[in-house]
Amino acid sequence: MYGIADLDNCYVSCERVFRPDLQGVPCVVLSNNDGCIVARSNEAKKMGIKEGTPYFQLAQHFPGQKIAVFSSNYELYGELTGRVVSIIRQETPAYFRYSIDECFMYLDGIELDKLQTWGENLHKRVKREVGLPISIGLAPNKTLAKIASKLAKKFEVYKHCCMIDTDYKREKALEWCPIEDVWGIGRRYSAKLQALGCKTALDFAKHHNDWVRLTFNNINIVRTWQELNGEDAVPNEQLAKKKSICTSRSFNGMISDFETLRTHVANYASRCAEKLRMQNTVANIVGVFINTRSAQRDACLSKNAFREDLAQYWNFQETRLVTPTSSTVPIVQAASEVLKRMFIQGYQYKKAGVIVMGISPDSSIQQDLFDVNAEQIQKMRRLDKVVDRINRMHGSETIVIGAQQYTKKDGKGKADVFANAIKHDFKSPNPTTRWGDIMKLNANAKKKKE
């Protein structure tokens, strides 16, 4: 049996851990640069607030409504969800973290008749020790487990844990699940299936295997069909294998000078290096892209998105590293060199990103025959280890390299240094990772009330 633990409204739930006064209050979390809504509480969903709604439209569409708004605080979300994963690690024979708010669990060591109680107890422990609500789906394969977790979220009768262990339960679950909500079926295939009369997961599952193969000619769609019919078809290694890591952002405003753009790219490259180290991997290709237009979702917020009066430019280039690495300094240096090659003065840039590719385990790094910097590589590893430890203890970006900072003049002509140019006017504190944000309790508050 497989299981999946899925945090309910993850970002909003994390914000509410230290704000119990927000229980029952509509809450939303914004994207980077406070652009669009990316997470909503159940109360906000009931009000009709849609994901992707630009922040500035909230007051227009919901005048006079009390809505709690937060900037994205990934440091807080990562720390709290990490606590949930540590509990899952203790409770399960094996697991794989699929995303920031989801973990697949392999439950072969737990007896079938005890799984339902086990799942309910896991929910209770996470809620008690971390304060986050979690829904658990149990099934013979990963796709059905995902559907079961949706049922656990939707219906209170399941007590936050739904198990699909019979054909009757499987067919009832597939009949309830819209085809667009099936894990492994993207937007394009969902539209095609609906055009072919497959409105629900059950409609698709009832088709013959030959029809699926001839219609789609796609191994992943075939595996999804097999799993909907109760088979275990998605390989475990397919989940864990990452071919690339990308970090990108739309800017708060437009950027025309190289140094400011280089600072953003250095921040993205540093984040990619950190992600590589977190999963014990290295990369041998560093790519950079720059764009004068923001993403489609941010188009309504961009001052130059799709404006015909401004010159438009997009480019992507990459470089190969002599020796695969996860160290921040060489990856940032490589990204900066790539940016220098393709930067053109005179454009108003709105977005940039860094992509690291050619990812492999760090346990089997092939040293280049002509690379004489073996000693320097070891120094970089030791440096990264120390920096990661300090940033874990005192908060992310406590220590950064010089390329991640830029100098900007304030209104009085003085120079101020910024390590992060992302706009987050509604960002909450980080009481679990930063000493300066530790919560202070007022011992006299109760006495004053009395």
Side-chain angles (χ1 to χ4, degrees), residues 41-208:
S41 66
N42 290 333
E43 296 82 5
K45 293 175 184 177
K46 289 178 181 178
M47 287 177 60
I49 299 176
K50 303 295 184 183
E51 185 175 357
T53 301
Y55 165 65
F56 70 85
Q57 290 183 2
L58 267 186
Q60 299 174 11
H61 296 334
F62 304 94
Q65 298 285 340
K66 180 183 178 183
I67 303 172
V69 179
F70 293 94
S71 302
S72 298
N73 188 348
Y74 298 112
E75 183 177 335
L76 175 67
Y77 310 151
E79 204 278 332
L80 290 179
T81 56
R83 296 186 181 195
V84 175
V85 173
S86 67
I87 293 174
I88 292 173
R89 184 187 300 117
Q90 298 169 26
E91 295 285 346
T92 58
Y95 76 97
F96 171 74
R97 188 168 187 176
Y98 183 61
S99 66
I100 189 172
D101 61 345
E102 292 178 297
C103 269
F104 279 106
M105 303 172 290
Y106 311 111
L107 308 172
D108 293 340
I110 303 175
E111 296 178 22
L112 186 62
D113 59 349
K114 296 180 179 178
L115 274 176
Q116 181 70 36
T117 302
W118 174 87
E120 293 173 7
N121 289 337
L122 178 60
H123 160 80
K124 292 176 182 176
R125 182 180 175 187
V126 170
K127 182 67 175 176
R128 181 178 65 251
E129 297 184 13
V130 187
L132 296 177
I134 193 169
S135 296
I136 297 157
L138 307 171
N141 60 54
K142 305 173 193 68
T143 303
L144 290 177
K146 289 277 287 185
I147 294 175
S149 70
K150 294 179 184 293
L151 286 165
K153 282 187 178 184
K154 184 77 174 178
F155 303 105
E156 294 183 3
V157 68
Y158 290 112
K159 299 179 181 178
H160 307 282
C161 178
C162 174
M163 182 165 66
I164 299 175
D165 57 347
T166 66
D167 281 338
Y168 175 78
K169 291 181 181 179
R170 177 180 64 83
E171 291 188 4
K172 284 295 182 182
L174 298 187
E175 186 179 15
W176 168 84
C177 182
I179 190 65
E180 62 268 20
D181 288 347
V182 176
W183 181 58
I185 295 181
R187 185 180 303 172
R188 182 164 62 93
Y189 287 116
S190 171
K192 184 175 182 178
L193 281 164
Q194 290 185 32
L196 292 170
C198 297
K199 305 299 182 183
T200 67
L202 184 61
D203 295 334
F204 179 46
K206 284 183 175 180
H207 278 283
H208 195 274

Side-chain angles (χ1 to χ4, degrees), residues 146-327:
K146 289 277 287 185
I147 294 175
S149 70
K150 294 179 184 293
L151 286 165
K153 282 187 178 184
K154 184 77 174 178
F155 303 105
E156 294 183 3
V157 68
Y158 290 112
K159 299 179 181 178
H160 307 282
C161 178
C162 174
M163 182 165 66
I164 299 175
D165 57 347
T166 66
D167 281 338
Y168 175 78
K169 291 181 181 179
R170 177 180 64 83
E171 291 188 4
K172 284 295 182 182
L174 298 187
E175 186 179 15
W176 168 84
C177 182
I179 190 65
E180 62 268 20
D181 288 347
V182 176
W183 181 58
I185 295 181
R187 185 180 303 172
R188 182 164 62 93
Y189 287 116
S190 171
K192 184 175 182 178
L193 281 164
Q194 290 185 32
L196 292 170
C198 297
K199 305 299 182 183
T200 67
L202 184 61
D203 295 334
F204 179 46
K206 284 183 175 180
H207 278 283
H208 195 274
N209 184 25
D210 292 339
W211 179 87
V212 177
R213 292 180 182 275
L214 289 172
T215 304
F216 296 96
N217 192 28
N218 183 297
I219 186 61
N220 292 325
I221 296 296
V222 173
R223 285 172 174 167
T224 298
W225 176 86
Q226 290 175 316
E227 295 226 331
L228 291 176
N229 282 283
E231 300 178 43
D232 184 8
V234 176
N236 294 337
E237 59 269 18
Q238 181 175 316
L239 297 176
K241 189 175 182 181
K242 270 193 173 182
K243 296 181 179 179
S244 64
I245 292 175
C246 176
T247 301
S248 63
R249 297 284 188 275
S250 293
F251 307 134
N252 178 30
M254 296 175 284
I255 296 175
S256 58
D257 64 291
F258 174 78
E259 286 302 318
T260 304
L261 189 60
R262 181 188 61 81
T263 302
H264 285 274
V265 168
N267 275 292
Y268 306 155
S270 175
R271 181 59 181 147
C272 285
E274 184 182 347
K275 290 179 180 179
L276 285 169
R277 294 194 294 273
M278 286 173 64
Q279 61 182 31
N280 300 316
T281 56
V282 292
N284 68 349
I285 299 174
V286 178
V288 178
F289 69 84
I290 51 177
N291 196 349
T292 55
R293 292 182 175 183
S294 63
Q296 180 69 32
R297 189 171 72 173
D298 296 331
C300 56
L301 306 177
S302 173
K303 295 181 180 178
N304 75 327
F306 310 113
R307 277 181 53 178
E308 300 299 331
D309 59 322
L310 293 177
Q312 304 296 331
Y313 172 67
W314 180 92
N315 200 348
F316 170 83
Q317 292 188 27
E318 62 185 43
T319 186
R320 185 175 293 272
L321 302 172
V322 176
T323 301
T325 185
S326 60
S327 292

Side-chain angles (χ1 to χ4, degrees), residues 330-366:
I331 289 178
V332 170
Q333 288 176 339
S336 298
E337 288 299 319
V338 172
L339 177 65
K340 190 182 297 184
R341 292 203 306 261
M342 62 183 183
F343 176 80
I344 298 178
Q345 192 70 44
Y347 287 101
Q348 299 287 330
Y349 295 98
K350 184 61 184 174
K351 188 174 185 179
V354 175
I355 307 173
V356 292
M357 297 168 284
I359 295 176
S360 60
D362 62 5
S363 57
S364 57
I365 299 176
Q366 180 65 46

